[in-house]
Amino acid sequence: MSTNLSLRSIMDANKLTGPNFSDWLRNLKIVLRQEKKLYVLENELPPEPAQDATNEVWEYYQSHIDDNEQVTCVMLASMSPELQRQHETMNAREMFLHLQELFSAQSRVERFETARTLFQCRMASGTSVEIHVLQMIGYIEKLGQLGYDLNLELSIDLVLQSLTSSFSQFIMNFHMNKKEMSLAELLNMLKTAEGCLKKESSSVLIFGSSSSKNKGKTSKKKNKNKNKKASSKLAKPIGGVKKKNDKGTCFHCGIAGHWKRNCKSYLASLKEKKLGETSTSGTDRQ
């Protein structure tokens, strides 16, 4: 009895308001399945037996009537006041069928959205294959709850085509072997394949990092050799190092810092001398 009460608490926590009909119905079926009273929603109430019917027939009839009363009360207690007033004169099955009719359009929209999400589902790079496939299985099962059951082959095809390109070899082997399996078995195989792929990628990364280190070392050595050659060329210019030519003392004026040929005083005296020679030559001609 305590178990029944604890499960029925989920109905109190999620009362039917209209938009949540699918969730409410799912919770109701969970409770009734645990209490073994789900048949009340699925079967019509039996007619009252004849007076001379056997005890077994009367017991079955009375059991169905009692279960119907309990399920009806559970359903009414888990509805909004407005919905309670609409259904208080109905039995459990009548209530169930009427609610389905009321909210069938909503279920149709929910089924459409679920199907679209499922068919567009793609595994993102870096995502765990377990999380991805479990999510897809959830969409597939939800469609079944909404009245649209996908067959197993189509469900497996949807899962395989949603995987990343890293699983291409797995998909090819799967189709070649033509092995029949459930979605749970497919999930376990994909988890194993993912583990192998991670090991392969890690080994490639280790090899790549070691080779890049070796390349780095050789390139560093080459750069060092180039730098040495360049520095040696700069240290020894062609023709050797030129020494500075320190200018001595002028023999004409005696001042240091220039030669006689560059001495201004000497050059001026030469100019005056030439002018004097030209003037004397002119007077001699006269």
Side-chain angles (χ1 to χ4, degrees), residues 225-263:
N225 294 332
K226 287 181 180 179
N227 292 334
K228 286 181 179 179
K229 290 180 181 180
S231 61
S232 63
K233 289 180 180 180
L234 292 173
K236 296 179 180 180
I238 299 172
V241 180
K242 293 183 180 180
K243 295 182 180 179
K244 291 183 179 180
N245 292 325
D246 295 331
K247 295 181 179 180
T249 304
C250 179
F251 293 116
H252 178 74
C253 64
I255 299 173
H258 61 271
W259 299 109
K260 179 181 177 181
R261 63 177 178 271
N262 297 325
C263 181

Side-chain angles (χ1 to χ4, degrees), residues 44-263:
E44 295 284 351
L45 282 173
E48 185 176 350
Q51 293 296 328
D52 57 349
T54 62
N55 291 335
E56 292 180 356
V57 173
W58 275 102
E59 287 176 1
Y60 172 77
Y61 170 77
Q62 192 59 46
S63 175
H64 198 140
I65 295 297
D66 293 341
D67 288 344
N68 175 72
E69 287 295 325
Q70 290 188 29
V71 174
T72 301
C73 292
V74 170
M75 293 174 70
L76 287 172
S78 60
M79 293 181 185
S80 65
E82 182 63 28
L83 290 173
Q84 285 176 350
R85 285 190 289 271
Q86 294 180 25
H87 299 88
E88 60 186 355
T89 59
M90 301 180 186
N91 62 44
R93 179 167 171 77
E94 291 172 344
M95 203 183 310
F96 168 65
L97 295 175
H98 187 249
L99 288 171
Q100 278 193 321
E101 185 179 355
L102 282 176
F103 303 111
S104 60
Q106 176 191 330
S107 299
R108 177 70 179 85
V109 173
E110 186 176 3
R111 186 175 65 192
F112 169 78
E113 294 294 339
T114 304
R116 181 171 64 176
T117 304
L118 173 63
F119 280 82
Q120 293 179 350
C121 197
R122 295 293 181 273
M123 181 179 175
S125 179
T127 306
S128 168
V129 71
E130 181 178 10
I131 295 175
H132 172 72
V133 175
L134 284 175
Q135 187 179 38
M136 292 196 70
I137 292 175
Y139 292 140
I140 293 169
E141 292 177 347
K142 187 174 182 180
L143 283 176
Q145 294 168 0
L146 294 171
Y148 189 80
D149 293 317
L150 293 179
N151 62 58
L152 182 59
E153 289 186 359
L154 178 58
S155 300
I156 289 177
D157 289 343
L158 287 173
V159 172
L160 292 178
Q161 61 87 29
S162 71
L163 301 175
T164 59
S165 58
S166 58
F167 288 91
S168 57
Q169 186 65 41
F170 173 88
I171 296 172
M172 184 176 67
N173 293 337
F174 179 86
H175 289 307
M176 289 177 64
N177 294 327
K178 297 180 180 179
K179 185 178 179 181
E180 294 183 0
M181 62 181 65
S182 64
L183 287 173
E185 291 172 334
L186 176 63
L187 173 59
N188 290 329
M189 290 184 66
L190 286 171
K191 287 165 63 177
T192 303
E194 183 183 46
C196 295
L197 289 173
K198 287 181 178 179
K199 289 180 181 179
E200 291 177 2
S201 61
S202 61
S203 62
V204 170
L205 288 173
I206 292 171
F207 175 76
S209 61
S210 61
S211 61
S212 62
K213 287 180 180 178
N214 293 331
K215 288 181 180 179
K217 289 180 180 179
T218 54
S219 61
K220 285 181 180 179
K221 288 181 179 179
K222 289 181 180 179
N223 290 332
K224 285 182 179 179
N225 294 332
K226 287 181 180 179
N227 292 334
K228 286 181 179 179
K229 290 180 181 180
S231 61
S232 63
K233 289 180 180 180
L234 292 173
K236 296 179 180 180
I238 299 172
V241 180
K242 293 183 180 180
K243 295 182 180 179
K244 291 183 179 180
N245 292 325
D246 295 331
K247 295 181 179 180
T249 304
C250 179
F251 293 116
H252 178 74
C253 64
I255 299 173
H258 61 271
W259 299 109
K260 179 181 177 181
R261 63 177 178 271
N262 297 325
C263 181

